[in-house]
Amino acid sequence: MGSTYGKIFNISTFGESHGSGIGVVIDGCPAGLEFDSDFIQQELTRRKPGQSRITTQRKEADEFEVLSGVFEGKTTGTPIALLIRNEDQRSKDYSHIAAQYRPSHADYTYQEKYGLRDYRGGGRSSARETAARVAAGAIAKTLLKGIGVRIQAYVSQVGAMRLEVPYTELDLSVTESNAVRCPDAEMAGKMFDYIDTIRKQGDSVGGVVNCVVQGAPVGWGEPVFDKLHAELGKAMLSINAVKGFEYGSGFEGVALLGSEHNDPFYLEETGQVRTRSNHSGGIQGGISNGEDIYFKVAFKPVATIMQDQESVDQHGDKAIVQGKGRHDPCVVPRAVPIVEAMAALVLADFYLRNLSAKVPG
Amino acid sequence: MGSTYGKIFNISTFGESHGSGIGVVIDGCPAGLEFDSDFIQQELTRRKPGQSRITTQRKEADEFEVLSGVFEGKTTGTPIALLIRNEDQRSKDYSHIAAQYRPSHADYTYQEKYGLRDYRGGGRSSARETAARVAAGAIAKTLLKGIGVRIQAYVSQVGAMRLEVPYTELDLSVTESNAVRCPDAEMAGKMFDYIDTIRKQGDSVGGVVNCVVQGAPVGWGEPVFDKLHAELGKAMLSINAVKGFEYGSGFEGVALLGSEHNDPFYLEETGQVRTRSNHSGGIQGGISNGEDIYFKVAFKPVATIMQDQESVDQHGDKAIVQGKGRHDPCVVPRAVPIVEAMAALVLADFYLRNLSAKVPG
Amino acid sequence: MGSTYGKIFNISTFGESHGSGIGVVIDGCPAGLEFDSDFIQQELTRRKPGQSRITTQRKEADEFEVLSGVFEGKTTGTPIALLIRNEDQRSKDYSHIAAQYRPSHADYTYQEKYGLRDYRGGGRSSARETAARVAAGAIAKTLLKGIGVRIQAYVSQVGAMRLEVPYTELDLSVTESNAVRCPDAEMAGKMFDYIDTIRKQGDSVGGVVNCVVQGAPVGWGEPVFDKLHAELGKAMLSINAVKGFEYGSGFEGVALLGSEHNDPFYLEETGQVRTRSNHSGGIQGGISNGEDIYFKVAFKPVATIMQDQESVDQHGDKAIVQGKGRHDPCVVPRAVPIVEAMAALVLADFYLRNLSAKVPG
Amino acid sequence: MGSTYGKIFNISTFGESHGSGIGVVIDGCPAGLEFDSDFIQQELTRRKPGQSRITTQRKEADEFEVLSGVFEGKTTGTPIALLIRNEDQRSKDYSHIAAQYRPSHADYTYQEKYGLRDYRGGGRSSARETAARVAAGAIAKTLLKGIGVRIQAYVSQVGAMRLEVPYTELDLSVTESNAVRCPDAEMAGKMFDYIDTIRKQGDSVGGVVNCVVQGAPVGWGEPVFDKLHAELGKAMLSINAVKGFEYGSGFEGVALLGSEHNDPFYLEETGQVRTRSNHSGGIQGGISNGEDIYFKVAFKPVATIMQDQESVDQHGDKAIVQGKGRHDPCVVPRAVPIVEAMAALVLADFYLRNLSAKVPG
């Protein structure tokens, strides 16, 4: 249970870090959507390991195969299944931790919940699963692009190094031009060096990814439980290593007064209703209001480090977990496409849900 | 759509601020649970308006009627329906804003999404709906209490006034002894005065509610999308006025190194696996690890203020929204039982979901 | 669990035979639909007890109250809650069977499943619950009527007395003109007399309800599991006392050859694709093809009879269940509006689901 | 939408007749279940084409690959993905019908619903999809077998040739000993000859599959909508070519009186509550009562025949659909394992759902 997301644009992912492969079934993608293989591959490549020396050196081509749901270059309305084979499995690397509980990993909780676990590379709990999300998210992005919705994420913080400039003053088109995926080149350089230092120490550090959605129409999101930001929050918090989510004014907005925080409405010359400020982050009452949707996602330092750590094993004995293998010293550069993918999946679902909001016609 | 939450312990709420009443149907509560009417009423009373001069003066007894699902003092396993009548409806208060869009309310987005809206007191978007959640949450709490799970929320911040002491150094049993629901009496006094000042200014201010869950066993939460903290995040973000959620080390944990952030495992004398620190917030890989679960929820300053505000109306004209009626100058004191209720609903659902994690027997 | 139906047009019913009342929450009805109270009441009246001497004499006005979701005569897009109070509860009638298991009722299975049960009149297992479905179904019918879909059910068989004429040769507009709801007046008279005879014997007898849906467009239903006829089947089989469902050629079609059974396509002068025969019952590959949808539903003789029956009780003792109280000697006349309501709920859901079948626009 | 079934034991199938392959993702199978590859293969072999001259001659090994969810021979509790490659694709066979609507196939409805379709062998609407169900069903069967539940289906009717003997008087262990899968050898022989005759005529004929479930405990099924027989009905009706479903006394029970139809309870010497007759088909109030569950499923003559048929094409022109390719003259022999698989999926889901019926412990 728990590997399925979305009410209409519904995805089910499967696969483990060191099994045959990972994949996704999308049930609910409308028919007639252009299936853009190149774009899906491009998104997977943004996420894949080994992009620079500050990401894990695991070797994966992350090429996907279409198993179903596409015919003559278009989606058919029936389930789209995509499969990404695992190549660099190296199961031997993990035999030494078969019985050990790595600190702040899912080893202990999986073992207790299920009575057994695939210990190779974290099995199902590995962030490798997010490749399937990125593939599905690319299809959701294609759907959204057709109605002018654009989703852009970027790294705003690494460790304590924070980019204080709001997104409205950044050129997000340059995000992809550096390995950190921070749209401020100078800051990106500092962040890169810092991550590289951490890497050499065999340690890891956290970071923050910001995301901006532009072009979403008014009306996406549902009252009460399935508010747009509630689903965005769930989607982001479901990404490995995420510890927090905020949208619009977020935690800082708490200290404002209502008279400062409220976003006054005004009319554009076109007659379009707009707000003068956007503390609401583009969402009011859980429903998009046509302004930019923006939010932040906090990632902890990844748990895999190249240092010895105190722990216990499955047999109830003390253990020392040794730092071996490959790891990402800071996950946020590779998390950027994952955050975008999850945002796309949430928005595509609300787009389709909203088609039945009013009596049709 | 969107008024339903929970896979097994499933609730559907209904009702508007100024309709006949609000209520909830719970489908999936196990049979044989003691139905504790007094406790439900007590929880509703914690949430109800008019508790002190720093909460809205709307008069509501918030008494509930059991429509179904209870027989001879126990739940029957079939849907439990509870109804809370609206008493102090005063629809006339709202006629002046029938066509106006109140800034940072849901008026505009509902109107656009649905083509019409119940403008009386916000209709369905009113926080009055949360009474239904509190009633359902009380039943979930009863279920959880039976296995030793305790949920305690409290106010940790009002405006910029923040209680820096961690929950482990607080006496949470005194939370209910003051109107602010802050377990530090001195801080509570300052917060009360500050909120009262804001109230007199006809303004509002935000705050933060912390929540601690003790006694949850290992194993609650599901891999990948339905991680325990992802569902907690969604549930909290679905509460009116919430702008952010973090658990464990949260946004601050970003700046730590992995070697600092990881929680080493050790064995208690009982043989129980424990962690020396708890940056994980009791959740690893999306699954509870037996440690305390703790998280924070950020609430914005409520949008209703007693001041004139620039806006537009439904006809495309400029409008001045006048401050009238009743409002909560700061929502967090009344939000404490709501946060607890939503946490209980999430946990009860995972408790029941976890019954099928392993082959039974 | 199990009291919820529908993916988009989603209903949750609640209530027991002898509790406060029964009701329904509809989450997913589009906004802007005219809320036709008179029509809902009319449908409830078609189902209510005491219509003639061949139905149970329980006295229920079956008047409903709108608790939410309607504003100024239209649906708002948020949950519609309807409540029907129980009036003629007579709980005392049932005290003698508190511990007994009535043959072919749900007493034993509920007791074993839940460990307790509301024994008064069958509690949740009572067909009284279907009043909530009829109310919700009336709203679904209103939605469907707006696009020209008409649903008509009628009694085609009582005991062994079967109306052999196909629906295409019947005048379904006269169905409501007799107490049996059989559109053939002569047959209706015979059926009435037969049921009345059975009633006097303190016995009961089964029957069949046929249903015809006209005006449904091509495209409703989903591939594989959620085929239109599969959902219709589930919906019908979920009605109390139903033992079988067939559509189109049904069980009799088994004996035909493919060359006889296949429905050849032809073009109408309008260019509309039609089929020359309709063994498919308006559904091909699980999706409506624009022809009439028709199906049959088999109802067993109701289990409540006015005769003594061998049984056991909850304490593991032999027992004689005595025939007391009130009952329907044949359930099909009152089942006609229930079958229609369930068909409407299924179709309304597929109507809304189908809005996202293709890339919009 | 629509390719997913089950609330807890949840399956999503994917794939088309002539795409890369078909498969299934099972999310919700409990951890620790022995993964019996041989048994899965055996079940697939029971369903695969080319078993005898009365089944289609399409060549498929129907071997499956495990993509995820299994570790060291056991299920891990995370999604199990299985893939069956298509081998004998022969897409060229279908080019002549690319634009034609085959009578009583899903060509027209898919084209209208989706605006395009994979016309090769019916694409997603092909019964080839059921191989994925059979694989998933084999896992469900393994789960059920562990608690003593046995599911046996058999052919009871081909065309008008009907086996009138009740299942209680048959030796179901011999079902697999003949190509028709009818447990009466003499009747099986006649059916075989009849089907073979039909095959030579290039025609097809319908049939009926009966199914018996033994060993199910009391308590499976949920009140109101998700009654055990309602879900069984949906599951069976979702199988290609099914036109009807009945359980227990079914359509014939209609003509009985309540005094004849009711199943009197009695006590076995062990204290077990039993019923003297079983018109209820092992289900009362939608919940299993511990008696044998039995039901019948009607299959139409398959639409593919080797004869010319009147039709139209996608361009709005008249067309003659020519009989070419390979087909099953009668689908019921191969439907036997499919019926069993769907029954297993329904029952496994209710087994797991029932774990939360009462307050645990």
Side-chain angles (χ1 to χ4, degrees), chain C residues 61-98:
Chain C
D62 277 356
E63 288 172 357
F64 71 97
E65 180 189 3
V66 181
L67 296 176
S68 70
V70 179
F71 186 63
E72 297 180 346
K74 300 213 168 188
T75 60
T76 60
T78 55
I80 302 166
L82 306 178
L83 176 62
I84 302 163
R85 293 281 179 183
N86 291 331
E87 296 176 354
D88 185 10
Q89 303 182 5
R90 289 208 211 172
S91 292
K92 279 175 289 184
D93 280 1
Y94 294 92
S95 56
H96 64 295
I97 51 130

Side-chain angles (χ1 to χ4, degrees), chain A residues 242-264:
Chain A
V242 172
K243 300 300 293 261
F245 169 86
E246 61 178 26
Y247 80 103
S249 59
F251 276 87
E252 289 184 9
V254 160
L256 297 180
L257 299 180
S259 54
E260 297 165 328
H261 191 277
N262 282 355
D263 298 318

Side-chain angles (χ1 to χ4, degrees), chain C residues 232-247:
Chain C
L232 283 170
K234 174 180 170 177
M236 297 307 144
L237 287 155
S238 78
I239 301 172
N240 307 50
V242 172
K243 300 301 291 261
F245 169 86
E246 61 177 24
Y247 79 104

Side-chain angles (χ1 to χ4, degrees), chain A residues 275-287:
Chain A
T275 63
R276 293 209 184 275
S277 52
N278 188 13
H279 294 108
S280 298
I283 304 172
Q284 291 175 332
I287 298 168

Side-chain angles (χ1 to χ4, degrees), chain C residues 2 104 109 113 203-204 219 221 225 227 231 234 238 243 245 258-259 262 267 276 279 303 309-310 316 354, chain D residues 2 104 113 203-204 219 221 225 227 231 234 238 243 245 258-259 262-263 267 276 279 284 303 309-310 316 354:
Chain C
S104 293
T109 53
K113 181 180 184 74
D203 215 327
S204 66
F225 296 112
K227 292 185 165 86
E231 289 292 344
K234 174 180 170 177
S238 78
K243 300 301 291 261
F245 169 86
S259 55
N262 282 355
L267 288 165
R276 293 207 184 276
H279 294 108
Q309 296 177 85
E310 177 192 6
N354 199 42
Chain D
S104 292
K113 182 179 183 73
D203 214 328
S204 65
F225 296 112
K227 292 185 163 87
E231 288 293 344
K234 174 179 170 178
S238 78
K243 301 300 292 261
F245 169 86
S259 55
N262 283 355
D263 298 319
L267 288 165
R276 295 210 183 273
H279 294 108
Q284 291 176 330
Q309 296 177 83
E310 177 194 6
N354 199 42

Side-chain angles (χ1 to χ4, degrees), chain B residues 262-280:
Chain B
N262 282 355
D263 299 317
F265 285 112
Y266 73 99
L267 287 166
E268 278 194 334
E269 290 189 6
T270 60
Q272 179 60 45
V273 175
R274 298 289 310 272
T275 64
R276 293 210 184 275
S277 52
N278 189 13
H279 294 108
S280 298

Side-chain angles (χ1 to χ4, degrees), chain B residues 5-333:
Chain B
Y5 182 79
K7 191 174 174 77
I8 294 184
F9 197 100
N10 180 271
I11 69 167
S12 296
T13 70
F14 60 86
E16 289 90 30
S17 176
H18 287 66
S20 313
I22 57 164
V24 62
V25 180
I26 307 169
D27 190 14
C29 181
L33 182 70
E34 190 201 350
F35 187 81
D36 189 341
S37 283
D38 291 345
F39 179 60
I40 298 171
Q41 190 57 60
Q42 187 181 317
E43 291 291 278
L44 283 171
T45 300
R46 289 175 72 204
R47 196 215 70 98
K48 80 170 183 176
Q51 298 178 43
S52 76
R53 71 171 184 268
I54 61 165
T55 59
T56 174
Q57 297 306 305
R58 177 170 171 156
K59 300 292 182 215
E60 292 288 353
D62 277 355
E63 288 171 357
F64 72 97
E65 178 188 5
V66 181
L67 297 176
S68 70
V70 179
F71 186 63
E72 296 179 348
K74 300 213 168 187
T75 60
T76 59
T78 56
I80 302 167
L82 306 178
L83 176 63
I84 302 163
R85 293 281 179 184
N86 291 330
E87 296 175 354
D88 186 10
Q89 303 183 3
R90 289 208 211 171
S91 292
K92 278 176 290 184
D93 281 2
Y94 294 92
S95 57
H96 64 294
I97 51 129
Q100 289 186 340
Y101 296 141
R102 291 168 300 160
S104 293
H105 273 276
D107 301 337
Y108 172 60
T109 52
Y110 270 58
Q111 182 70 36
E112 288 292 304
K113 182 180 184 72
Y114 295 119
L116 80 169
R117 74 183 198 282
D118 179 349
Y119 53 77
R120 299 167 304 165
R124 182 71 180 149
S125 72
S126 166
R128 180 145 183 73
E129 181 268 345
T130 58
R133 306 187 189 200
V134 167
I139 297 172
K141 275 187 176 180
T142 305
L143 178 64
L144 294 166
K145 195 181 162 192
I147 52 167
V149 178
R150 192 165 56 154
I151 302 167
Q152 290 169 286
Y154 62 92
V155 170
S156 69
Q157 186 174 343
V158 167
M161 303 174 75
R162 188 194 311 213
L163 185 65
E164 301 284 358
V165 186
Y167 79 89
T168 46
E169 296 169 23
L170 291 168
D171 176 5
L172 300 185
S173 71
V174 304
T175 301
E176 295 296 310
S177 62
N178 61 68
V180 178
R181 293 200 168 93
C182 174
D184 179 302
E186 192 183 329
M187 179 60 91
K190 289 181 192 166
M191 286 172 168
F192 186 95
D193 293 343
Y194 179 57
I195 297 172
D196 203 35
T197 305
I198 294 296
R199 180 185 67 80
K200 287 173 188 156
Q201 293 168 4
D203 216 329
S204 66
V205 70
V208 173
V209 173
N210 289 22
C211 187
V212 185
V213 180
Q214 292 172 310
V218 190
W220 291 0
E222 303 292 331
V224 185
F225 296 112
D226 297 354
K227 291 184 164 87
L228 176 49
H229 56 267
E231 288 292 343
L232 283 170
K234 175 180 169 177
M236 297 306 146
L237 287 155
S238 78
I239 300 172
N240 307 50
V242 171
K243 301 300 292 262
F245 169 86
E246 62 177 25
Y247 79 103
S249 60
F251 276 87
E252 288 183 11
V254 161
L256 296 179
L257 298 180
S259 55
E260 297 165 327
H261 190 277
N262 282 355
D263 299 317
F265 285 112
Y266 73 99
L267 287 166
E268 278 194 334
E269 290 189 6
T270 60
Q272 179 60 45
V273 175
R274 298 289 310 272
T275 64
R276 293 210 184 275
S277 52
N278 189 13
H279 294 108
S280 298
I283 303 173
Q284 290 176 332
I287 298 168
S288 61
N289 68 353
E291 303 295 324
D292 290 353
I293 298 164
Y294 66 96
F295 56 85
K296 286 189 187 180
V297 188
F299 290 80
K300 70 169 187 179
V302 288
T304 303
I305 56 174
M306 299 297 102
Q307 302 180 4
D308 288 358
Q309 296 178 84
E310 177 193 6
S311 190
V312 301
D313 69 20
Q314 203 166 303
H315 314 299
D317 294 320
K318 291 185 184 181
I320 297 297
V321 170
Q322 292 181 299
K324 279 194 188 173
R326 300 154 299 183
H327 82 303
D328 281 285
C330 182
V331 81
V332 286

Side-chain angles (χ1 to χ4, degrees), chain A residues 25 79, chain C residues 224-225, chain D residues 3-4 11-15 23-25 124 129 132-133:
Chain A
V25 180
Chain C
V224 184
F225 296 112
Chain D
S3 289
T4 295
I11 69 167
S12 295
T13 70
F14 59 87
V24 63
V25 181
R124 181 70 180 150
E129 181 268 345
R133 305 186 190 200

